């Protein structure tokens, strides 16, 4: 009876390893790499810049925050310029201009 249980346990273990081996890539074969997202690329660049400047602690945190948000700030500034130009072209003034700018700046970029 003990031998039968040992054989069953060994067979179950062997099946488990066989299933894992079938799911895993072949030895030496790398899994296909996914392209990094824009955020991951930006993080890598900012991290490298912070390392090159030997920043540590709070200085590094502040640098990374500024570096990672720089792209968003530039996009917002471009959007502001575009909306201002559109408002000027339409010759909007006062409340009309305010309403237009609010709507223009709140729209998601295409």
């Amino acid at each position: 009876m003990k031998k039968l249980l040992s054989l069953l346990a060994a067979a179950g273990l062997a099946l488990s390893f066989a299933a894992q081996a079938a799911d895993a890539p072949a030895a030496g074969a790398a899994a296909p790499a996914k392209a990094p997202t824009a955020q991951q690329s930006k993080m890598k660049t900012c991290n490298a810049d912070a390392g090159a400047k030997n920043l540590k602690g709070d200085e590094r945190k502040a640098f990374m925050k500024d570096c990672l948000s720089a792209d968003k700030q530039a996009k917002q500034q471009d959007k502001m310029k575009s909306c201002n130009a559109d408002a000027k072209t339409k010759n909007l003034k006062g409340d009309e201009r305010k309403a237009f700018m609010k709507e223009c700046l709140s729209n998601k970029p295409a």
Side-chain angles (χ1 to χ4, degrees), residues 1-11:
M1 184 69 156
K2 281 186 179 181
K3 284 187 177 184
L4 181 61
L5 289 175
S6 296
L7 285 174
L8 286 174

mmCIF file of all heavy atoms in Angstrom, residues 1-11:
data_model
loop_
_atom_site.group_PDB
_atom_site.id
_atom_site.type_symbol
_atom_site.label_atom_id
_atom_site.label_comp_id
_atom_site.label_asym_id
_atom_site.label_seq_id
_atom_site.Cartn_x
_atom_site.Cartn_y
_atom_site.Cartn_z
ATOM 1 N N MET A 1 0.820 -1.187 0.000
ATOM 2 C CA MET A 1 0.000 0.000 0.000
ATOM 3 C C MET A 1 0.869 1.257 0.000
ATOM 4 O O MET A 1 0.578 2.205 -0.713
ATOM 5 C CB MET A 1 -0.928 -0.065 1.230
ATOM 6 C CG MET A 1 -1.894 1.072 1.297
ATOM 7 S SD MET A 1 -3.075 0.910 -0.019
ATOM 8 C CE MET A 1 -4.396 1.804 0.615
ATOM 9 N N LYS A 2 1.958 1.239 0.830
ATOM 10 C CA LYS A 2 2.858 2.378 0.878
ATOM 11 C C LYS A 2 3.519 2.608 -0.475
ATOM 12 O O LYS A 2 3.701 3.734 -0.913
ATOM 13 C CB LYS A 2 3.933 2.181 1.945
ATOM 14 C CG LYS A 2 3.484 2.461 3.344
ATOM 15 C CD LYS A 2 4.653 2.373 4.289
ATOM 16 C CE LYS A 2 4.229 2.682 5.695
ATOM 17 N NZ LYS A 2 5.348 2.620 6.618
ATOM 18 N N LYS A 3 3.904 1.501 -1.138
ATOM 19 C CA LYS A 3 4.548 1.612 -2.448
ATOM 20 C C LYS A 3 3.581 2.211 -3.463
ATOM 21 O O LYS A 3 3.978 3.022 -4.297
ATOM 22 C CB LYS A 3 5.044 0.250 -2.926
ATOM 23 C CG LYS A 3 6.292 -0.208 -2.246
ATOM 24 C CD LYS A 3 6.802 -1.465 -2.891
ATOM 25 C CE LYS A 3 8.109 -1.877 -2.238
ATOM 26 N NZ LYS A 3 8.701 -3.018 -2.877
ATOM 27 N N LEU A 4 2.324 1.811 -3.395
ATOM 28 C CA LEU A 4 1.318 2.327 -4.319
ATOM 29 C C LEU A 4 1.130 3.821 -4.119
ATOM 30 O O LEU A 4 1.099 4.591 -5.095
ATOM 31 C CB LEU A 4 -0.015 1.584 -4.128
ATOM 32 C CG LEU A 4 -1.159 2.010 -5.044
ATOM 33 C CD1 LEU A 4 -0.773 1.781 -6.500
ATOM 34 C CD2 LEU A 4 -2.420 1.267 -4.711
ATOM 35 N N LEU A 5 1.060 4.278 -2.880
ATOM 36 C CA LEU A 5 0.923 5.703 -2.589
ATOM 37 C C LEU A 5 2.159 6.471 -3.043
ATOM 38 O O LEU A 5 2.063 7.565 -3.598
ATOM 39 C CB LEU A 5 0.665 5.926 -1.094
ATOM 40 C CG LEU A 5 -0.706 5.501 -0.582
ATOM 41 C CD1 LEU A 5 -0.787 5.673 0.927
ATOM 42 C CD2 LEU A 5 -1.804 6.299 -1.257
ATOM 43 N N SER A 6 3.324 5.904 -2.818
ATOM 44 C CA SER A 6 4.565 6.543 -3.260
ATOM 45 C C SER A 6 4.600 6.659 -4.779
ATOM 46 O O SER A 6 5.016 7.683 -5.328
ATOM 47 C CB SER A 6 5.782 5.745 -2.785
ATOM 48 O OG SER A 6 5.847 5.737 -1.390
ATOM 49 N N LEU A 7 4.178 5.633 -5.460
ATOM 50 C CA LEU A 7 4.162 5.654 -6.928
ATOM 51 C C LEU A 7 3.163 6.685 -7.447
ATOM 52 O O LEU A 7 3.450 7.410 -8.407
ATOM 53 C CB LEU A 7 3.814 4.267 -7.485
ATOM 54 C CG LEU A 7 4.921 3.228 -7.422
ATOM 55 C CD1 LEU A 7 4.395 1.870 -7.867
ATOM 56 C CD2 LEU A 7 6.094 3.638 -8.286
ATOM 57 N N LEU A 8 2.009 6.767 -6.805
ATOM 58 C CA LEU A 8 1.003 7.746 -7.213
ATOM 59 C C LEU A 8 1.507 9.176 -6.975
ATOM 60 O O LEU A 8 1.332 10.067 -7.811
ATOM 61 C CB LEU A 8 -0.313 7.516 -6.467
ATOM 62 C CG LEU A 8 -1.126 6.311 -6.908
ATOM 63 C CD1 LEU A 8 -2.332 6.113 -5.982
ATOM 64 C CD2 LEU A 8 -1.589 6.474 -8.333
ATOM 65 N N ALA A 9 2.151 9.394 -5.849
ATOM 66 C CA ALA A 9 2.698 10.715 -5.544
ATOM 67 C C ALA A 9 3.785 11.078 -6.550
ATOM 68 O O ALA A 9 3.848 12.205 -7.048
ATOM 69 C CB ALA A 9 3.243 10.740 -4.120
ATOM 70 N N ALA A 10 4.656 10.137 -6.857
ATOM 71 C CA ALA A 10 5.732 10.378 -7.816
ATOM 72 C C ALA A 10 5.156 10.661 -9.200
ATOM 73 O O ALA A 10 5.644 11.536 -9.932
ATOM 74 C CB ALA A 10 6.680 9.183 -7.855
ATOM 75 N N ALA A 11 4.120 9.934 -9.580
ATOM 76 C CA ALA A 11 3.501 10.144 -10.889
ATOM 77 C C ALA A 11 2.850 11.524 -10.951
ATOM 78 O O ALA A 11 2.953 12.224 -11.957
ATOM 79 C CB ALA A 11 2.467 9.048 -11.163
#
